[in-house]
């Protein structure tokens, strides 16, 4: 099944012995000029790339104070060393967060600290070189920017931000990653990661309406580009076609139908994902975000709701207002933006949805906290809402729910292994190995509690699990959308409001 060794999930997880260099070979395909240039990056490695890289590093530390603080403040305490799923799954010491940071730190020290300029060997400072660039390209694409290490670092050093900076520098010198940059280009050209044009999207939505009507006898609408609707829903394009994502979209449609609130999708902003964040590019993140603003203005909506997508929510929750705001044209009664889970949770709390949890009795559920939701955003109006709301929704629509071990959920959650722009087949080995800690936790509840399915609210997590769970022999089709569970349980018909 695989041309690499699949790690053995342990009942009691163990920290592996280091095996230097075992993942040095892992690197994604480099982007060709056709994928680099539309994003404003050089097509290929520029002649004076060492100077460009060093200059860009200085520009970034000047622009982002946090980056400079992170590069200056590590005391090598070692608290983060065993916290990264990629280290636990590969045993390559360069996948320890501190070592990953040091790949950039040693260049920063060489050019931007006095000690590094005069006594480089003493402080582990090195010149920018092809060897360094190759290491960056390999190991900064073995970081899913999940921020787990930052939770355990006494100084709060965020390796995700360092990894974003490294990727931004690599793009600036002409060595970008094909997967991310090709996808961002598709969003600019067509509106979504999949390259699904408006007519195909309209067809898909029409098909969904027919399918639901056949199943339930109720005409649930999936409006597209409908001016004057109250709510614009921006959702990952995976929701438009693949299981289990599309089952989640069906759930959103049913919730809006039952709530009696008009909504629309947009062909211009037919993608919630924002890969600009993964490559650390503010400008590309802003360009992608602006499409949401343009669509909201064009359609004259009052609210914006984001579908189930982890990093889209991180960008939306944390940065949308500064990237594409102000959103003063929206109804100030509602948060900008809102998560679909907040929207549904509020309706459930108010008793506005009739639910039959026994519709999900064929499943025993657990819930995977997606990193970007868990550690880089919030949800609702109380701290920890991002952990509480999805679980309360699941418990309202399912009778059987079990959490995974406490050190693997909430803000200690383990990444699915495919986040941060790694969800590509050319990185399958690191994806499978990086999933080990999550698979160990899942296996425990499968064996001890009879869990049959794992729900998530992130398109990347769901896609990654669909692909990697079979490698571990835990089961098939275990990955489900939270709104898929809502869809199963919701009783269509007269509103109870
Ligand atoms: S951000 Fe996540 S993937 Fe990156 S080093 Fe930290 S724990 Fe590992
Ligand atoms: S936990 Fe923080 S301070 Fe300690 S080694 Fe890791 S990054 Fe450095």
């Amino acid at each position: 099944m695989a041309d690499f060794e699949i790690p053995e999930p342990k009942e009691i997880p163990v920290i592996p012995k280091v095996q230097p260099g075992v993942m040095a070979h892992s690197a994604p395909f480099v982007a060709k000029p056709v994928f680099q240039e539309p994003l404003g990056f050089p097509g290929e490695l520029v002649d004076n790339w060492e100077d460009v890289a060093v200059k860009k590093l200085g520009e970034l530390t000047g622009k982002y104070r946090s980056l400079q603080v992170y590069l200056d403040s590590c005391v090598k305490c070692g608290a983060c060393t065993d916290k990264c799923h990629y280290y636990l799954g590969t045993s390559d010491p360069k996948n320890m967060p501190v070592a990953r940071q040091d790949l950039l730190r040693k260049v920063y020290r060489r050019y931007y600290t006095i000690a590094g300029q005069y006594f480089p060997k003493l402080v582990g400072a090195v010149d920018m070189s092809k060897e360094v660039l190759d290491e960056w390209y390999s190991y900064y694409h073995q970081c899913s920017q999940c921020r787990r290490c930052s939770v355990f670092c006494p100084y709060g050093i965020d390796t995700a931000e360092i990894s974003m900076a490294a990727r931004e520098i690599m793009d600036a010198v002409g060595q970008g990653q094909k997967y991310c940059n090709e996808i961002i280009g598709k969003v600019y050209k067509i509106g979504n990661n999949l390259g699904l044009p408006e007519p195909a999207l309209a067809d898909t939505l029409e098909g969904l309406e027919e399918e639901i009507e056949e199943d339930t006898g109720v005409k649930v609408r999936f409006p597209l580009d409908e001016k004057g609707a109250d709510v614009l829903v921006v959702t990952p394009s995976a929701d438009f076609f693949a299981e289990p994502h599309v089952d989640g979209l069906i759930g959103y449609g049913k919730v809006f139908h039952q709530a009696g609130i008009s909504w629309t999708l947009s062909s211009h902003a037919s993608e919630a994902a924002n890969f600009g964040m993964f490559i650390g590019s503010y400008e590309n993140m802003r360009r992608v975000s602006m499409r949401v603003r343009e669509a909201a203005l064009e359609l004259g909506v009052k609210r914006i709701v984001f579908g189930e997508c982890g990093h889209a929510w991180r960008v939306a929750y944390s940065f949308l207002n500064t990237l594409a705001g102000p959103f003063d044209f929206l109804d100030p009664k509602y948060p900008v933006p809102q998560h679909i889970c907040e929207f549904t949770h509020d309706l459930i709390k108010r008793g506005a949805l009739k639910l039959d949890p026994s519709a999900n009795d064929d499943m025993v559920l657990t819930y995977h906290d997606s990193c970007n939701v868990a550690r880089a955003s919030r949800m609702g109006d109380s701290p920890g809402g991002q952990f509480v709301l999805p679980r309360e929704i699941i418990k309202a629509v399912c009778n059987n729910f079990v959490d995974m071990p406490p050190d693997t959920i909430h803000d200690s959650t383990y990444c699915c292994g495919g986040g941060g722009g790694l969800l590509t087949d050319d990185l399958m080995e690191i994806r499978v190995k990086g999933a080990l800690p999550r698979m160990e936790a899942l296996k425990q509840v499968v064996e001890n509690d009879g869990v049959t399915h794992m729900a998530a609210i992130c398109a990347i997590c769901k896609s990654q699990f669909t692909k990697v769970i079979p490698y571990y022999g835990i089961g098939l089709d275990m990955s489900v959308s939270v709104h898929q569970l809502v869809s199963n349980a919701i009783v269509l018909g007269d509103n109870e409001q």
Side-chain angles (χ1 to χ4, degrees):
M1 189 173 181
D3 53 5
F4 49 85
E5 206 179 317
I6 298 158
E8 180 70 30
K10 304 272 189 322
E11 205 171 315
I12 300 170
V14 291
I15 298 160
K17 280 196 188 136
V18 295
Q19 295 189 69
V22 285
M23 288 305 288
H25 62 277
S26 171
F29 294 145
V30 176
K32 295 208 167 91
V34 64
F35 303 130
Q36 285 283 98
E37 284 157 1
L39 278 60
F41 303 136
E44 49 196 32
L45 206 58
V46 294
D47 288 340
N48 58 338
W49 67 268
E50 294 96 331
D51 298 339
V52 176
V54 170
K55 198 165 156 238
K56 187 77 186 172
L57 174 57
E59 187 192 310
L60 295 180
T61 50
K63 198 155 78 172
Y64 306 124
R65 286 304 302 272
S66 52
L67 179 64
Q68 185 171 351
V69 170
Y70 296 153
L71 292 173
D72 281 333
S73 58
C74 173
V75 295
K76 303 286 189 283
C77 71
C80 62
T81 50
D82 60 348
K83 302 301 184 292
C84 177
H85 48 290
Y86 293 120
Y87 171 64
L88 297 174
T90 66
S91 67
D92 188 321
K94 289 217 169 88
N95 277 326
M96 290 177 176
V98 56
R100 196 185 315 285
Q101 295 163 20
D102 275 356
L103 297 173
L104 189 76
R105 189 175 281 123
K106 61 190 182 183
V107 176
Y108 164 76
R109 284 205 171 134
R110 178 73 181 100
Y111 297 94
Y112 293 102
T113 66
I114 305 270
Q117 280 163 21
Y118 292 101
F119 313 105
K121 284 201 177 125
L122 269 185
V123 294
V126 301
D127 289 343
M128 190 67 212
S129 65
K130 187 68 173 64
E131 196 188 326
V132 168
L133 182 70
D134 289 345
E135 264 196 334
W136 283 15
Y137 197 70
S138 174
Y139 289 102
Y140 284 116
H141 289 109
Q142 297 184 47
C143 169
S144 55
Q145 306 173 341
C146 76
R147 307 186 84 216
R148 187 170 196 270
C149 47
S150 71
V151 171
F152 297 91
C153 171
Y155 294 86
I157 296 172
D158 186 357
T159 320
E161 208 170 311
I162 295 174
S163 136
M164 287 170 193
R167 292 191 196 176
E168 186 168 9
I169 296 168
M170 290 189 280
D171 268 323
V173 301
Q175 183 152 327
Q177 185 211 11
K178 175 178 180 278
Y179 174 64
C180 282
N181 293 1
E182 181 180 9
I183 275 181
I184 296 170
K186 275 191 206 156
V187 174
Y188 294 155
K189 218 164 154 187
I190 300 167
N192 53 63
N193 290 3
L194 295 178
L196 196 68
E198 191 274 335
L201 181 54
D203 261 12
T204 306
L205 297 174
E206 229 179 271
L208 281 186
E209 289 180 356
E210 284 163 16
E211 199 182 299
I212 297 170
E213 195 170 5
E214 240 169 66
D215 276 3
T216 65
V218 179
K219 176 106 186 145
V220 173
R221 296 200 56 228
F222 288 82
L224 182 64
D225 295 331
E226 207 153 280
K227 286 196 177 177
D230 280 346
V231 181
L232 166 66
V233 173
V234 185
T235 205
S237 54
D239 280 359
F240 298 129
F241 83 114
E243 281 181 351
H245 316 262
V246 69
D247 303 301
L249 176 64
I250 292 173
Y252 317 156
K254 289 183 180 175
V255 169
F256 279 105
H257 176 90
Q258 280 308 101
I261 295 172
S262 65
W263 68 294
T264 186
L265 293 156
S266 155
S267 56
H268 183 63
S270 49
E271 180 60 72
N274 192 328
F275 278 36
M277 189 181 74
F278 296 152
I279 61 166
S281 167
Y282 177 88
E283 186 46 33
N284 282 287
M285 197 157 72
R286 194 187 68 80
R287 274 177 74 187
V288 174
S289 296
M290 283 305 286
R291 299 178 74 91
V292 176
R293 178 189 179 81
E294 288 153 10
L297 280 167
E298 168 69 17
L299 297 168
V301 296
K302 299 187 184 125
R303 304 163 68 174
I304 301 173
V305 169
F306 271 72
E308 296 186 6
C309 179
H311 81 277
W313 182 240
R314 175 178 184 173
V315 174
Y317 180 87
S318 304
F319 317 123
L320 193 64
N321 207 29
T322 43
L323 286 168
F327 286 93
D328 46 5
F329 57 92
L330 298 174
D331 188 335
K333 285 205 303 280
Y334 303 100
V336 181
Q338 229 180 347
H339 194 281
I340 188 71
C341 284
E342 288 178 272
F343 182 82
T344 301
H345 184 264
D346 175 59
L347 292 165
I348 293 175
K349 238 175 42 189
R350 290 194 281 112
L353 302 177
K354 194 171 172 192
L355 301 166
D356 172 15
S358 73
N360 287 310
D361 273 357
D362 56 328
M363 293 185 253
V364 180
L365 270 305
T366 193
Y367 177 69
H368 165 75
D369 292 280
S370 303
C371 316
N372 281 303
V373 178
R375 286 187 286 262
S377 66
R378 278 189 177 178
M379 201 185 280
D381 49 16
S382 48
Q386 72 271 36
F387 311 127
V388 174
L389 267 60
R391 284 179 173 78
E392 285 191 353
I393 295 176
I394 296 173
K395 288 175 190 167
V397 299
C398 303
N399 288 318
N400 312 308
F401 176 79
V402 183
D403 251 325
M404 286 181 276
D407 56 339
T408 73
I409 58 170
H410 291 198
D411 61 355
S412 296
T413 187
Y414 277 111
C415 174
C416 64
L422 310 188
L423 192 77
T424 166
D425 285 353
D426 42 316
L427 291 176
M428 209 57 210
E429 179 178 358
I430 190 72
R431 285 171 55 190
V432 170
K433 292 182 172 175
L436 174 72
R438 174 44 79 225
M439 293 299 105
E440 288 177 327
L442 175 63
K443 202 161 183 258
Q444 272 197 40
V445 287
V446 166
E447 287 173 358
N448 301 339
D449 305 284
V451 161
T452 60
H453 291 81
M454 177 161 59
I457 52 169
C458 172
I460 286 178
C461 297
K462 289 180 244 178
S463 302
Q464 161 78 349
F465 288 139
T466 304
K467 202 101 184 214
V468 302
I469 290 174
Y471 278 88
Y472 286 91
I474 300 175
L476 296 170
D477 302 328
M478 290 187 78
S479 178
V480 292
S481 301
V482 167
H483 275 78
Q484 171 179 355
L485 304 170
V486 175
S487 169
N488 294 344
I490 201 163
V491 180
L492 296 175
D494 292 340
N495 288 332
E496 298 223 324
Q497 289 175 79

